[in-house]
């Protein structure tokens, strides 16, 4: 699993920026071509898979300093059936 942080210098909501706006901002700031990010891929960064949305919907535990839990990756892939070992 991975995560990332995002900071903007204005009040825009990053998840609401159009692909065109993202492409415009990139072209104003970057010389050359980025290998990963463009306006279309930007919009995908704010989407969760169906499995992740369901898991978050069902989650009832809020972790704090006092309720820390060990987290691990089960190793399942999208193509595997749940419970199959």
């Amino acid at each position: 699993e991975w995560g990332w942080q995002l900071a903007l210098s204005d009040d825009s909501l990053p998840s609401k920026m159009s692909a065109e706006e993202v492409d415009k901002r990139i072209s104003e700031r970057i010389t050359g071509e980025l290998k990963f990010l463009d306006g279309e891929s930007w919009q995908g960064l704010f989407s969760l898979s169906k499995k992740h949305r369901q898991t978050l919907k069902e989650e009832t535990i809020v972790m704090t300093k006092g309720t820390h839990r060990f987290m691990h990756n089960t190793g399942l892939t999208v193509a595997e059936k749940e419970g199959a070992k």
Side-chain angles (χ1 to χ4, degrees), residues 11-30:
D11 292 334
S12 64
L13 291 173
S15 61
K16 302 297 182 191
M17 288 195 304
S18 69
E20 294 79 16
E21 176 64 20
V22 173
D23 287 336
K24 177 178 171 261
R25 288 183 181 210
I26 290 171
S27 68
E28 291 171 353
R29 294 167 172 85
I30 304 294

Side-chain angles (χ1 to χ4, degrees), residues 12-64:
S12 64
L13 291 173
S15 61
K16 302 297 182 191
M17 288 195 304
S18 69
E20 294 79 16
E21 176 64 20
V22 173
D23 287 336
K24 177 178 171 261
R25 288 183 181 210
I26 290 171
S27 68
E28 291 171 353
R29 294 167 172 85
I30 304 294
T31 302
E33 185 176 347
L34 298 176
K35 293 182 179 184
F36 171 77
L37 188 65
D38 65 2
E40 186 175 344
S41 60
W42 175 265
Q43 292 177 329
L45 294 175
F46 295 94
S47 299
L48 293 174
S49 70
K50 181 179 178 180
K51 178 69 176 173
H52 283 93
R53 289 192 314 270
Q54 186 65 33
T55 300
L56 288 171
K57 182 179 177 182
E58 294 170 357
E59 183 58 66
T60 60
I61 301 209
V62 176
M63 289 198 304
T64 67

